[in-house]
Amino acid sequence: MTTIIFILISIIIILMLLNIRLKLRQPSEKHHFMLSDSLCLHVSNNDVMQFFKYCSANLRLLLESKGIDFKIRCEPESMMGWIDTELLDKILLLLISDTLKRTEQRGKVTIDTYTNQQYDKITIKYSDSGSKISETNMLMINYIVVFHRGTMKNEYDERQGNIILIDIPIKKDAYETEQLDTNISHDFNIPNNIELRVPKIEIPTGIEEGNNSLREIIQAPHSADQEFLRRAIQCVNNNINDSDYDRQAFAADMGCSISTLYNKIRELTGKNISNFIRDLRIKKACKLAKENTDLRVSDIAYQVGFKDPKYFATSFKRVTGAQPKEYFNKLRETDA
């Protein structure tokens, strides 16, 4: 009997130890749970290379302010493909935020984005001269990449730093039907019955809404969130014609860190900082088009902070579903 009791006690102890080991290994899986609760794959047809250039440009000043040399190269310069811009933006933010902690002054960061011969995927090669990237961030990035139907490899050398290779499919047939944003048409001809999704800019004066939750915040009296959002919109509108106005300048104007600004803007509007700024620029463009019927598309693009009218057209179509010229004509017809 004593032997049986001893065996049972031993089994119980072993099971307890195994349970403790499993609990100790759960933090990374907890990150996966947290991510899976907040992630939703929603791909749309975009100019992939211009997207990376735009996002990276917003990060350039932040890196260079820390004395880090930053380069981005895209081959080809422009290429359409199906991607989830929100998820790729998360990947870039995780990489950059981790790099800032690990990389000394005079360090280097390089992003190379290129396609394969079949033009059915893109490769993002991210390299830096810092210490080894944190395991937690590596797990989170890998999880997002896999969620986007991609793959990732990473290497670290004490002398060279980190090299991270991310492959993402960009063909429409790589994704399920429910994951495709087909509301944004990239044809050059707009149907006659196009629904004008004109951004609302009338409540209250000087404040523009982005979605229903934003309306609720604006209408809530004396709300701290209302005041934060009012200031954020005012900061962007005050610099609407400045093409160099980016996350760093925005955060400085708001008197907070970039990460705090990102989290608060995401919480209040569901958008990242780049899209928040972009959407306000697009809304201002619509307002200018309605008020000044003689303005050309390129004139409006420059006045709302776009250096390249072609990229303005791409961004505009991504937001409204139509090319700016046809969209502006429709807007003006409704006011005629």
Side-chain angles (χ1 to χ4, degrees):
M1 180 68 69
T2 304
T3 304
I4 295 174
I5 293 174
F6 176 78
I7 292 172
L8 288 173
I9 292 174
S10 299
I11 292 173
I12 291 170
I13 291 173
I14 291 172
L15 289 173
M16 289 175 66
L17 290 172
L18 286 172
N19 187 48
I20 291 171
R21 284 190 66 188
L22 286 172
K23 286 184 176 180
L24 288 174
R25 294 174 63 184
Q26 279 182 353
S28 63
E29 297 189 10
K30 182 179 178 182
H31 284 297
H32 286 192
F33 260 137
M34 292 169 62
L35 282 168
S36 62
D37 289 342
S38 62
L39 293 184
C40 178
L41 185 60
H42 193 65
V43 299
S44 58
N45 200 11
N46 297 275
D47 189 320
V48 180
M49 302 305 180
Q50 290 296 327
F51 167 76
F52 277 103
K53 287 180 182 179
Y54 180 76
C55 289
S56 299
N58 288 333
L59 299 168
R60 179 183 297 278
L61 288 178
L62 178 61
L63 289 166
E64 292 181 348
S65 70
K66 301 292 184 180
I68 300 173
D69 180 54
F70 176 66
K71 291 184 175 63
I72 178 168
R73 297 183 287 257
C74 296
E75 181 61 38
E77 289 288 320
S78 177
M79 186 181 69
M80 300 301 294
W82 290 80
I83 56 172
D84 187 318
T85 56
E86 299 287 336
L87 293 188
L88 293 185
D89 190 62
K90 287 179 187 291
I91 292 172
L92 286 176
L93 281 174
L94 284 169
L95 286 169
I96 295 297
S97 62
D98 196 275
T99 296
L100 289 170
K101 298 174 185 177
R102 297 179 291 100
T103 306
E104 301 292 335
Q105 284 196 354
R106 298 183 181 177
K108 295 181 179 181
V109 171
T110 303
I111 300 177
D112 288 292
T113 306
Y114 49 91
T115 186
N116 60 350
Q117 292 183 346
Q118 290 74 37
Y119 298 97
D120 60 357
K121 72 175 182 179
I122 57 166
T123 297
I124 306 159
K125 182 181 178 182
Y126 184 93
S127 57
D128 66 51
S129 59
S131 57
K132 189 174 184 180
I133 189 170
S134 70
E135 182 180 353
T136 299
N137 275 355
M138 203 73 259
L139 287 169
M140 293 173 70
I141 294 167
N142 183 65
Y143 188 79
I144 297 174
V145 170
V146 172
F147 196 81
H148 203 309
R149 305 291 189 268
T151 60
M152 185 180 76
K153 297 178 183 178
N154 66 291
E155 299 177 0
Y156 174 70
D157 183 282
E158 290 185 359
R159 294 169 298 178
Q160 302 296 326
N162 296 275
I163 295 179
I164 300 168
L165 292 173
I166 298 172
D167 288 335
I168 298 287
I170 59 171
K171 286 296 184 182
K172 187 177 181 180
D173 56 13
Y175 304 98
E176 305 295 332
T177 303
E178 60 270 18
Q179 296 167 343
L180 301 175
D181 183 359
T182 54
N183 291 324
I184 300 180
S185 169
H186 289 269
D187 297 330
F188 285 95
N189 295 318
I190 299 179
N192 293 328
N193 61 347
I194 183 173
E195 179 184 355
L196 289 178
R197 289 172 279 160
V198 181
K200 299 179 181 178
I201 54 175
E202 40 308 319
I203 58 165
T205 303
I207 294 183
E208 300 165 316
E209 66 166 343
N211 53 27
N212 291 333
S213 62
L214 186 52
R215 174 185 289 274
E216 294 170 3
I217 293 168
I218 290 173
Q219 292 178 342
H222 309 297
S223 162
D225 287 340
Q226 174 189 357
E227 176 59 21
F228 184 93
L229 194 59
R230 184 196 66 77
R231 286 179 53 229
I233 293 170
Q234 184 178 23
C235 285
V236 176
N237 284 336
N238 287 345
N239 297 275
I240 204 76
N241 63 346
D242 183 0
S243 59
D244 294 324
Y245 193 73
D246 57 9
R247 303 175 196 214
Q248 185 179 19
F250 190 7
D253 287 346
M254 292 295 291
C256 62
S257 67
I258 292 177
S259 60
T260 298
L261 180 64
Y262 175 87
N263 291 332
K264 198 65 179 176
I265 293 294
R266 173 74 75 181
E267 175 190 345
L268 296 179
T269 69
K271 302 173 185 177
N272 59 41
I273 298 175
S274 297
N275 287 349
F276 181 78
I277 296 174
R278 177 203 65 189
D279 289 358
L280 287 177
R281 293 188 192 279
I282 297 300
K283 291 172 186 178
K284 180 64 174 179
C286 292
K287 188 176 181 182
L288 286 174
K290 291 176 70 175
E291 294 173 349
N292 303 275
T293 57
D294 294 332
L295 282 179
R296 298 175 301 176
V297 171
S298 59
D299 296 330
I300 293 174
Y302 295 132
Q303 288 189 35
V304 297
F306 284 84
K307 293 180 179 178
D308 182 4
K310 182 179 178 182
Y311 185 57
F312 167 72
T314 301
S315 299
F316 190 94
K317 192 170 184 180
R318 187 179 302 153
V319 173
T320 67
Q323 290 289 340
K325 184 175 181 179
E326 286 86 348
Y327 197 98
F328 292 160
N329 287 340
K330 289 284 185 180
L331 280 177
R332 290 158 178 167
E333 286 174 8
T334 58
D335 276 359

